[in-house]
Amino acid sequence: MGQKINPLGFRLGTTQSHHSLWFAKPKNYCEGLQEDQKIRNFIKNYVKKNMRISSGVEGIARIEIQKRIDLIQVIIYIGFPKLLLENRPRRIEELQMNVQKELNCVNQKINIAITRIANPYGHPNILAEFIAGQLKNRVSFRKAMKKAIELTEQADTKGIQVQIAGRLDGKEIARAEWIREGRVPLQTIEAKIDYCSYTVRTIYGVLGIKIWIFVDEKK
């Protein structure tokens, strides 16, 4: 029997850290969790609607949220800063105001910072968005997976595994196909593995993309 576990949760405290840092009483925990999800969804939708995205890739690797009593600090790790170069300070202020309105929080101020990441295609979320864009344009899933692996090789990673599941190429029966390049030691806790699962809606139905990237090993 396959005992499956999320690679990020499996490595918390060794090579992975939480993307949300805050403390809440048990009865308020689910409210805080929903608030985090709302912030992340709102920022992603805002970037999708307001930025000129030619490649179909939003370029957001991850969004970290740190909460204090009177402040919510949001750090957006983005791979392609040119998406936010036009009127950048005004864009960020506008985004802050919109998030504040969406959450309707009076006592807490929201502060948004943007951090650029060096190798965008070394991050699974950006890579999954790239594959999703290819699949929506009816590119063969094998070609999309091979192109994604070529992009990660330029980002100096040690290994990658890509899996796509669903009605591939519009076939009547759903199946899962995967491809691996290099080493991906999923059972080694000290191996830093980046992982993401991504859902894409195509004309044939919903496809699921999973990506594991072996970044580095803790010495």
Side-chain angles (χ1 to χ4, degrees), residues 98-134:
N98 289 337
V99 173
Q100 193 108 22
K101 276 183 200 168
E102 180 73 17
L103 294 179
N104 197 19
C105 52
V106 182
N107 301 325
Q108 287 177 308
K109 190 190 170 191
I110 292 171
N111 185 31
I112 294 175
I114 291 174
T115 303
R116 186 188 174 181
I117 48 175
N119 297 315
Y121 289 113
H123 290 263
N125 284 303
I126 296 174
L127 211 58
E129 281 175 16
F130 170 78
I131 294 172
Q134 296 282 299

Side-chain angles (χ1 to χ4, degrees), residues 29-210:
Y29 176 76
C30 58
E31 285 175 22
L33 199 63
Q34 286 169 355
E35 192 178 68
D36 281 12
Q37 195 60 42
K38 205 183 272 186
I39 291 170
R40 289 193 172 98
N41 291 341
F42 188 86
I43 289 170
K44 284 176 183 174
N45 291 335
Y46 179 87
V47 171
K48 197 180 279 184
K49 282 178 189 170
N50 294 286
M51 307 304 163
R52 292 176 184 171
I53 301 166
S54 56
S55 60
V57 178
E58 293 161 32
I60 296 174
R62 70 181 184 277
I63 298 168
E64 287 187 2
I65 298 169
Q66 299 167 10
K67 290 182 187 173
R68 296 178 205 154
I69 295 168
D70 58 343
L71 178 71
I72 298 175
Q73 175 75 41
V74 181
I75 304 166
I76 305 170
Y77 289 86
I78 198 161
F80 308 108
K82 65 180 180 182
L83 300 182
L84 288 164
L85 275 182
E86 294 175 14
N87 305 321
R88 185 170 171 174
R90 192 177 64 78
R91 285 279 193 195
I92 294 169
E93 281 171 25
E94 187 186 323
L95 181 57
Q96 280 176 188
M97 283 169 58
N98 289 337
V99 173
Q100 193 108 22
K101 276 183 200 168
E102 180 73 17
L103 294 179
N104 197 19
C105 52
V106 182
N107 301 325
Q108 287 177 308
K109 190 190 170 191
I110 292 171
N111 185 31
I112 294 175
I114 291 174
T115 303
R116 186 188 174 181
I117 48 175
N119 297 315
Y121 289 113
H123 290 263
N125 284 303
I126 296 174
L127 211 58
E129 281 175 16
F130 170 78
I131 294 172
Q134 296 282 299
L135 294 172
K136 280 180 183 173
N137 294 333
R138 303 195 194 183
V139 174
S140 161
F141 71 93
R142 282 198 182 88
K143 196 177 278 185
M145 287 199 289
K146 282 175 183 170
K147 180 66 179 169
I149 284 171
E150 282 174 26
L151 289 169
T152 48
E153 281 171 2
Q154 297 166 16
D156 194 29
T157 54
K158 296 194 173 183
I160 177 173
Q161 182 174 323
V162 181
Q163 178 182 299
I164 302 178
R167 285 186 59 191
L168 301 174
D169 289 338
K171 296 284 190 329
E172 284 297 316
I173 193 160
R175 68 187 199 278
E177 293 278 343
W178 62 274
I179 187 168
R180 186 193 294 145
E181 192 73 38
R183 281 180 66 227
V184 187
L186 294 178
Q187 291 184 326
T188 309
I189 295 176
E190 291 193 337
K192 188 176 181 184
I193 303 258
D194 271 352
Y195 165 80
C196 89
S197 64
Y198 192 92
T199 305
V200 52
R201 296 183 181 276
T202 66
I203 55 166
Y204 301 117
V206 176
L207 299 180
I209 303 168
K210 287 184 179 179

Side-chain angles (χ1 to χ4, degrees), residues 1-6 187 210:
M1 278 174 66
Q3 308 288 328
K4 305 294 187 298
I5 187 167
N6 188 302
Q187 291 184 326
K210 287 184 179 179

